[in-house]
């Protein structure tokens, strides 16, 4: 059952919905909420809602949002039964949002709230997707910097899509885009790539990311590598083809060189003086082929595991109704 702590006092479709994924952000949450509130009330008055998605936090995040909701009637809270990851938290928030424009923003203070008016005015002048592009990497370690640069380069080369380097989850989508987004049910997902895939009228706003207010980034190296791999596997099948081509090439080359050596050594008795031993030739060839087979098996495994998680048809997240605050009960 959804606890009804408040009644939505305004129209069901406010101008702006703000979706904020939260994972253990208790330390900075009050400050973040205040700064967010100041900016949006200045921009749209009372015509907003804030949807906080507590992604299974183990600290006081849930409690703090509840306290905030007591004094701010336009705050909703969706609470997951465990940590499902930011992509799922965003999906839940977007599904729940009723606004005409829906803005996604991190709850750790890294996305500057002061730019929200710019996002809205870009939307008002016709953009259906407004993307925040981060221009600095000051607070990132070398791993994230180098990793993300190469990820974009490789991704854009291999897929038919163009991800703009630095384009982030700090973005605004129109209600129409929200509707289309909710039709996408794939499980290993990267929200920004999916929104880019949808197309629509796009606009870009550059921003400098702040340092995290408190705590540590929930996305460690392992999670980032997983996210990058997932988006490759879910959005492009080029690696599969690549190994197909490589297979053709290697088979062709080994066939030709095998035949050449066979003719030169065995039929013509080594007129060029190569003196290959049969064992050396065979073992090099075998080693090479085994390597290729293993590599292609690895790629197949990636795809099969993708199909596997897709075919399980699990929901993207599980909401804990007891811990959530929502304006409508379904
Ligand atoms: N987050 C989340 N679930 C997670 C990890 C992070 O909802 O499992 C939230 C987090 O609270 C923050 C946003 O997603 O609001 C971005 O997370 P983080 O700062 O860890 O990532 P980064 O800034 O490195 O992209
Ligand atoms: Mg962050």
């Amino acid at each position: 059952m959804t606890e009804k702590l408040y009644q939505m006092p305004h129209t069901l479709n406010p101008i702006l919905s703000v979706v904020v994924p939260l994972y253990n952000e208790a330390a900075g949450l009050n400050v973040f909420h205040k700064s967010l509130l100041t900016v949006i009330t200045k921009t749209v008055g009372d015509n907003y809602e804030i949807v906080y998605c507590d992604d299974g936090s183990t600290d006081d995040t849930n409690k703090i949002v509840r306290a905030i909701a007591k004094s701010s009637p336009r705050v909703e809270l969706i609470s997951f039964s465990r940590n499902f990851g930011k992509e799922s938290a965003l999906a839940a928030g977007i599904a729940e949002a009723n606004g005409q424009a829906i803005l996604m923003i991190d709850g750790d203070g890294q996305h500057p709230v002061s730019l929200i008016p710019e996002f809205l005015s870009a939307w008002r002048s016709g953009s259906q997707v407004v993307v925040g592009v981060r221009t600095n990497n000051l607070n990132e370690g070398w791993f994230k910097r180098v990793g993300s640069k190469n990820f974009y380069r490789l991704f854009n080369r291999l897929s038919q899509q163009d991800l703009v380097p630095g384009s982030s989850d700090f973005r605004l989508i129109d209600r129409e885009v929200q509707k289309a987004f909710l039709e996408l049910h794939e499980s290993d997902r990267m929200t920004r790539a999916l929104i880019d895939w949808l197309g629509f009228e796009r606009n870009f706003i550059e921003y400098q990311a702040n340092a995290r207010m408190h705590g540590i980034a929930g996305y460690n190296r392992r999670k980032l590598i997983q996210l990058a791999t997932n988006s490759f596997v879910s959005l492009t099948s080029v690696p599969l083809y690549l190994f197909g081509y490589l297979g053709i090439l290697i088979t062709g080359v080994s066939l030709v060189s095998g035949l050449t050596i066979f003719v030169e050594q065995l039929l013509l008795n080594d007129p060029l003086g190569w003196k290959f031993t049969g064992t050396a030739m065979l073992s090099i060839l075998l080693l090479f082929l085994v390597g290729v087979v293993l590599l292609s098996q690895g790629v197949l495994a990636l795809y099969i595991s993708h199909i596997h998680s897709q075919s399980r048809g699990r929901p993207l997240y599980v909401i804990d109704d007891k811990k959530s605050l929502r304006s409508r009960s379904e």
Side-chain angles (χ1 to χ4, degrees), residues 21-23 25 55 83 85-86 89 106-108 110 144 212 217-219 223:
L22 295 174
Y23 180 57
E25 301 289 1
D55 183 11
N83 180 238
K86 179 185 179 183
D106 282 2
D108 60 1
Q110 288 202 273
K144 260 194 182 173
R212 226 172 193 287
Y219 274 83
K223 276 193 184 170

Side-chain angles (χ1 to χ4, degrees), residues 28 33 45 86 89 97 99 154 161-162 167 201 242 244 258 289 297 314:
H33 181 74
K86 179 185 179 183
L154 198 65
Q161 276 178 256
D162 247 349
S167 72
E201 198 67 44
L242 275 187
L289 290 179
Q297 272 190 355
R314 283 193 194 158

Side-chain angles (χ1 to χ4, degrees), residues 256-267 274 276 281:
V256 171
S257 50
L259 279 177
T260 313
I261 290 168
F262 176 75
V263 171
E264 199 268 353
Q265 298 254 312
L266 299 180
L267 293 188
W274 285 351
F276 269 104
M281 289 189 282

Side-chain angles (χ1 to χ4, degrees), residues 111-127:
H111 296 161
V113 288
S114 56
L115 284 178
I116 293 176
E118 267 185 60
F119 277 82
L120 272 167
S121 67
W123 170 68
R124 285 204 170 102
S125 43
S127 304

Side-chain angles (χ1 to χ4, degrees), residues 110 134-142 144-145 207-212:
Q110 288 202 273
R134 85 184 273 179
T135 51
N136 70 321
N137 274 327
L138 291 179
N139 313 302
E140 314 259 80
W142 66 271
K144 260 194 182 173
R145 253 194 334 254
Y207 74 94
Q208 300 250 325
N210 304 319
R212 226 172 193 287

Side-chain angles (χ1 to χ4, degrees), residues 51-67:
V51 184
Y52 283 114
C53 307
D54 172 16
D55 183 11
S57 297
T58 49
D59 64 358
D60 282 342
T61 300
N62 200 277
K63 238 197 246 163
I64 292 170
V65 178
R66 289 167 167 275

